[in-house]
Amino acid sequence: MAAWRPWAAEADDFEDRKTAGAIVVQEHGCGFATLLALTGPLAGTVWWDGRATCDLIVPLSLDHLRGARPVTFGEWLGRSSWDLLPPGWG
């Protein structure tokens, strides 16, 4: 147990770094959430935290098939995050 604690702490720190500079704007249950980037070149864009099942954080977009940019917070408001996921999700 003592040997496991440092490993678990490092794993937790690594997971926290994946979302540094972002906040949860909507919880979806079962470990899923919608994130808003607050810092960096993607500040103001909205992302899907799917790490609960696939260890991925993906952009929410109005047109994934044509490689559209991530939606902004304003574009996301009033929409369902589930509807803005890439094809094959949900």
Side-chain angles (χ1 to χ4, degrees), residues 4 10 18 20-21 27 35 39 42 48 51-52 54-55 57-58 64 66-70 72 74 79-80 88-90:
W4 179 79
E10 183 66 27
K18 287 181 182 179
E27 273 289 337
L35 305 173
T39 62
L42 297 170
W48 179 262
R51 292 178 292 169
C54 66
D55 202 32
I57 299 172
V58 297
H64 283 283
R66 294 193 182 109
R69 62 173 171 65
T72 65
R79 298 180 193 270
S80 168
W89 283 73

Side-chain angles (χ1 to χ4, degrees), residues 8-22 51 57:
E10 183 66 27
D12 289 345
D13 288 345
F14 179 70
E15 288 302 315
D16 288 345
R17 282 183 290 219
K18 287 181 182 179
T19 57
R51 292 178 292 169
I57 299 172

